């Protein structure tokens, strides 16, 4: 009985002493930390994607509080959370356009010639090192999912041997842009939903030889929808992403792209999913 | 260094089946003329030469069609007489189209006026070096590095050792073997000319022990040209520049360094033979190429004009007996798989290998099992297992710290890996990625 009492007392005394020691230590060795950092951190998505250029969300939060980075600089964050961060920091939220990635190639399995068999490492960089990749078009998507693996949000799917970005999942962090060895991925304003799915700068006959859906540089889109399309290098058109208004589904209808390269993102995905008969042999 | 002793380096492999028997007994044949030759304009490392002819121009065999632009560049000569038909991109050996020129032969094969002949023993060394450049000679073992650049080392590098590379360690290839066997004096004369340019008294010619006939042929004439023929162990990659230097001199080229850092210059024996021709006044417009492999009807060694499409070279060898599994330019260890058979023969095409479908077995690769076999065989004494995993997990920094850039891509590691890991492929990707990052950093 006595032993038990002594033990309990001893533990109690130890507890009080150590508790006091911790209390004292917490007071004297305290690291000063801005409480706002935690508040900002809570308003961030927590994916640590690095899309803002910082090491992760906590690094972003510290930088935002220190005034080194704009509160709206997180490309992933919702507009409401961005505003909330600006409020915590007591600064104005500049208007940043939310961006989305888009893979500018429409040459899937049935649309583009692919007469070499590549059986090496399933990675786009490795494939491009072996005889320039299996696809006949040297500018097209190889469909080996290097971008899909790089995406922290699972927004890229390989459909019909072609990388397709799901805009509703994409947050525009830009991680995929740098991994694509063909430089096919572009960050565009989220409101732009019409794209020219071709990035091949060659002349039309060279493109038509290898692909059923190339941009042949006919400039029909540039003439029909004034200011919404540009031809950058003479042989491949591109939607104009610099400023709104962007092209719409009606514009696509009106233009009637002769090769079917100019599409809305939704229609593009639908076509690749249903694998229509574009077969190059039949052409 | 005794002639009895067999020299070698540390590491390497010896493929059980080296495929040399297909063509090693076949004498070099001249290829019949073609109606059209498609040449890649740039057939050398460094600056591509500049065209001096235009469409419709008449050219003669051996006539200059593109002149060297800058120091690290060599001229290009016409492989036959005829007219310039087109100037257009041609399929390149790396799978990408490259600038090219098409010459339509007139069938006469009329040679241009040769350059005045030179005597290797009395000519001015600088004049020999200029002749080597004017004849358009590059490293014909595969690298295609302009030879005259190697022969003009910076003044602070003292060259005291010239090595002739006759190892031909790559399986299947026998073009150097046949060149040494059939024209030993040409090889030795070229070697003596290079030795004169560099001021080296006695060049060494390293040759693998699996070519006893060529060794005997060379030794018969070697004394006359003051060349010492040294037998090497049959071991891949004995013909790697750094491995050859280690085997013959015991010197070690520092990481990221060049043979000249240890006072050595290495030249391929095919290059030496071309140099002998250059001294006779003939520019480089043809080369010996082995067309071989399990599915080739009549494998052999052919004297092919530059610009001969691969498909024509295969026709010279009697075509194929069955659909090949893979067509390689170069040997099976280091060669490049081709996507197009229109790719032309270049100055560095030592072989065209057609593997049968049975030879190109696909293996399922698994994770590294840490057996360490790749470390044993790596001739550069790197850690391929670590480099492969580092690249796979995209830790390029780690790969760079472990000297990924020193990899010579010989493929010995992937050859022995029991887990069938694509180690060379990973390392090549890592090197490409690091080069890209370096270039992006410069901008």
């Amino acid at each position: 009985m006595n032993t038990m009492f002594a033990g309990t007392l001893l533990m109690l005394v130890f507890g009080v002493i150590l508790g006091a020691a911790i209390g004292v230590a917490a007071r004297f060795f305290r690291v000063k930390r801005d409480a706002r950092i935690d508040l900002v951190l809570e308003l961030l998505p927590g994916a640590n994607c690095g899309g803002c250029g910082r090491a992760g969300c906590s690094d972003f939060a510290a930088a935002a509080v220190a005034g080194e980075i704009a509160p709206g600089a997180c490309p992933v964050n919702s507009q409401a959370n961005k505003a909330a961060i600006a409020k915590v920091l007591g600064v104005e939220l500049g208007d940043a356009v939310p961006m989305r990635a888009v893979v500018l190639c429409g040459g899937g399995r049935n649309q583009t010639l692919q007469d070499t068999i590549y059986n090496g490492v399933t990675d786009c960089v490795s494939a491009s090192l072996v005889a320039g990749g299996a696809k006949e078009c040297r500018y097209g998507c190889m469909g080996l999912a290097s971008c899909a693996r790089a995406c922290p949000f699972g927004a890229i799917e390989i459909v019909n041997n072609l990388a397709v970005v799901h805009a509703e999942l994409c947050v525009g962090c830009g991680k995929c842009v740098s991994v694509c060895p063909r430089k096919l991925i572009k960050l565009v304003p989220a409101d732009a939903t019409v794209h020219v799915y071709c990035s091949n700068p060659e002349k039309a006959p060279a493109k038509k030889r290898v692909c059923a859906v190339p941009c042949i540089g006919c400039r029909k889109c540039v003439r029909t929808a004034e200011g919404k399309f540009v031809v950058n290098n003479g042989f491949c058109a591109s939607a104009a992403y610099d400023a709104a208004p962007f092209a719409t589904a009606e514009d696509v209808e009106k233009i009637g792209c002769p090769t079917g390269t100019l599409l809305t993102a939704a229609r593009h995905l639908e076509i690749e999913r249903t694998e229509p008969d574009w077969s190059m042999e039949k052409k | 260094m005794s002639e009895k002793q067999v020299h070698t380096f540390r590491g390497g492999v010896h493929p059980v089946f080296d495929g040399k028997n297909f063509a090693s007994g076949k004498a070099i044949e001249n290829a019949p003329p073609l109606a059209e030759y498609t040449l890649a304009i740039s057939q050398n490392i460094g600056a591509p030469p500049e065209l001096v002819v235009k469409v419709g121009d008449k050219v003669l065999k051996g006539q200059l069609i593109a002149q060297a632009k800058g120091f690290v560049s060599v001229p290009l000569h016409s492989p036959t007489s005829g007219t310039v038909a087109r100037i257009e991109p041609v399929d390149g050996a790396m799978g990408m189209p490259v600038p090219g020129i098409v010459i339509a032969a007139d069938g006469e094969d009329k040679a241009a006026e040769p350059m005045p002949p030179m005597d290797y023993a009395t000519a001015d060394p600088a004049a020999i070096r200029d002749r080597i450049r004017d004849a358009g000679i590059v490293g014909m073992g595969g690298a295609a590095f302009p030879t005259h650049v190697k022969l003009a080392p910076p003044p602070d590098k003292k060259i005291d050792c010239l090595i002739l590379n006759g190892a031909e360690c790559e399986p299947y290839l026998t073009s150097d073997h046949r060149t040494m066997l059939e024209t030993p004096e040409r090889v030795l004369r070229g070697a003596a000319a290079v030795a004169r340019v560099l001021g080296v008294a006695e060049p060494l010619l390293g040759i693998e022990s699996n070519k006893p006939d060529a060794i005997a042929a060379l030794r018969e004439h070697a004394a006359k040209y003051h060349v010492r023929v040294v037998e090497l162990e049959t071991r891949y990659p004995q013909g790697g520049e750094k491995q050859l230097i280690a085997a013959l001199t015991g010197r070690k080229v520092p990481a990221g360094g060049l043979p000249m850092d240890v006072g050595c210059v290495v030249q391929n024996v095919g290059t030496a033979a071309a140099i002998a021709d250059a001294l006779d006044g003939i520019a480089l417009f043809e080369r010996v190429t082995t067309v071989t492999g399990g599915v080739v009807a009549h494998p052999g060694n052919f004297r092919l004009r530059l610009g001969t499409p691969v498909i024509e070279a295969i026709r010279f060898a009697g075509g194929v007996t069955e659909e090949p599994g893979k067509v390689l330019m170069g040997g099976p260890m280091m060669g490049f798989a081709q996507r197009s058979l229109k790719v032309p023969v270049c100055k560095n095409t030592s072989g065209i290998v057609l593997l049968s479908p049975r030879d190109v077995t696909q293996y399922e690769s698994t994770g590294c099992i840490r057996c360490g076999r790749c470390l044993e065989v790596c001739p550069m004494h790197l850690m391929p297992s670590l480099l492969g995993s580092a690249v796979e997990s995209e830790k390029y920094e780690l790969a760079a710290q472990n000297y990924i850039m020193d990899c010579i891509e010989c493929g010995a590691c992937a050859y022995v890996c029991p887990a069938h890991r694509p180690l060379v492929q990973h390392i090549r990707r890592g090197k490409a990625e690091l080069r890209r990052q370096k270039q992006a950093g410069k901008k």
Side-chain angles (χ1 to χ4, degrees), chain A residues 123-208:
Chain A
D123 165 86
C124 298
V125 180
S126 301
S128 65
L129 288 173
V130 182
K135 206 173 230 177
E136 283 294 288
C137 175
R138 267 107 174 168
Y139 300 89
C141 173
M142 290 182 276
L144 294 170
S146 284
C147 52
R149 281 192 295 273
C151 180
F153 302 94
I156 301 180
E157 187 192 358
I158 305 297
V159 184
N160 194 18
N161 211 18
L162 197 65
V164 178
V165 180
H166 289 273
E168 68 279 12
L169 293 174
C170 175
V171 296
C173 70
K175 280 214 143 177
C176 51
V177 175
S178 56
V179 299
C180 178
R182 294 270 158 101
K183 303 195 180 357
L184 290 172
I185 308 179
K186 214 173 159 160
L187 280 184
V188 302
D191 296 338
T193 54
V194 174
H195 311 287
V196 178
Y197 286 95
C198 182
S199 302
N200 187 336
E202 287 177 358
K203 288 184 181 174
K207 285 191 251 190
K208 285 183 95 165

Side-chain angles (χ1 to χ4, degrees), chain A residues 115-116 119 121 123 125-126 129-138 178-179 182-183 202, chain B residues 91 93-97 326 336-339 360 362 394 422 425-426 428-429 432-433 436:
Chain A
D115 55 8
T116 354
N119 44 23
V121 185
D123 165 86
V125 180
S126 301
L129 288 173
V130 182
K135 206 173 230 177
E136 283 294 288
C137 175
R138 267 107 174 168
S178 56
V179 299
R182 294 270 158 101
K183 303 195 180 357
E202 287 177 358
Chain B
D91 289 335
M94 299 307 292
M96 299 307 242
K326 211 176 242 188
F336 293 101
Q338 296 301 308
R339 65 188 296 161
V360 286
Q362 287 299 315
E394 306 193 342
Q425 286 86 335
H426 285 320
R428 288 193 63 215
R429 175 183 163 206
E433 189 63 32
R436 190 184 66 80

Side-chain angles (χ1 to χ4, degrees), chain B residues 47-294:
Chain B
E50 214 167 20
L51 280 184
V52 293
V53 290
K54 53 188 187 303
V55 174
D57 279 3
K58 287 248 178 294
V59 291
L60 295 170
K61 179 167 78 173
Q63 188 186 323
L64 182 83
I65 51 175
Q67 67 185 7
K69 201 179 163 197
F71 182 57
V72 188
S73 178
V74 292
L76 183 66
H77 302 83
S78 173
T80 187
S81 64
T83 42
V84 178
R86 297 183 295 282
I87 293 174
E88 61 179 19
V90 300
D91 289 335
M94 299 307 292
M96 299 307 242
V98 293
I101 179 169
V102 181
I103 301 208
D106 57 11
E108 288 169 31
D109 208 23
K110 213 168 134 224
E113 188 74 23
M115 295 176 271
M118 289 168 111
D119 183 12
Y120 79 93
T122 54
D124 176 39
I128 297 179
R129 191 169 59 221
D130 288 347
R131 171 59 62 86
I132 289 171
R133 182 198 60 213
D134 294 342
I137 292 172
V138 298
M140 287 164 74
F145 189 80
T147 300
H148 68 274
V149 180
K150 271 196 196 173
L151 301 187
D156 59 318
K157 306 273 188 219
K158 181 84 194 76
I159 303 297
D160 62 352
C161 181
L162 168 65
I163 294 172
L164 272 297
N165 185 352
E168 200 166 51
C169 56
E170 182 81 39
Y172 286 77
L173 305 189
T174 55
S175 56
D176 287 351
H177 178 186
R178 293 307 305 187
T179 305
M180 288 186 285
L181 177 64
E182 292 177 34
T183 55
E185 287 210 67
R186 237 172 104 228
V187 172
L188 294 167
R189 196 150 53 88
V194 177
R196 186 171 161 79
V197 175
L198 292 170
V200 174
E202 191 183 39
L204 303 170
L205 192 153
I207 176 167
E208 277 190 352
S209 56
N210 61 354
K211 307 181 228 327
D213 48 354
I215 296 173
L218 288 166
R219 283 203 172 138
E220 197 179 310
H221 302 280
K224 187 176 154 198
Y225 297 97
H226 309 287
V227 177
R228 189 195 292 168
V229 179
V230 186
E231 194 173 330
L232 302 164
E233 190 196 348
T234 305
R235 190 162 193 79
Y236 178 87
Q238 191 68 265
E241 208 167 47
K242 286 158 192 170
Q243 285 65 40
L244 197 59
I245 291 170
L248 290 174
T249 68
R251 298 178 197 176
K252 210 174 146 198
V253 180
L258 290 169
M260 65 165 76
D261 294 331
V262 291
C264 292
V265 166
V266 181
Q267 295 287 357
N268 175 264
V269 289
T271 316
I275 290 170
D277 290 347
L279 294 177
D280 291 339
I282 304 163
L284 176 63
F285 57 78
E286 61 185 4
R287 66 153 299 141
V288 180
T289 299
T290 310
V291 183
T292 185

Side-chain angles (χ1 to χ4, degrees), chain B residues 314-382:
Chain B
I314 296 169
R315 275 193 197 125
F316 296 154
V320 292
T321 51
E322 63 175 310
E323 180 95 349
K326 211 176 242 188
V327 178
L328 302 167
M329 240 158 160
M333 294 296 276
M334 287 191 71
F336 293 101
Q338 296 301 308
R339 65 188 296 161
S340 159
L341 293 180
K342 283 189 252 161
V343 173
V345 166
C346 291
K347 290 176 180 178
N348 62 345
T349 310
S350 47
I352 296 165
V353 177
L354 282 76
L355 297 175
S356 79
R358 292 172 298 285
D359 292 338
V360 286
T361 325
Q362 287 299 315
Y363 295 103
E364 199 64 39
S365 83
T366 59
C368 173
I369 58 168
R370 313 247 187 274
C371 67
R373 282 189 213 175
C374 52
L375 278 75
E376 266 165 41
V377 300
C378 178
M380 294 306 288
H381 316 316
L382 303 174

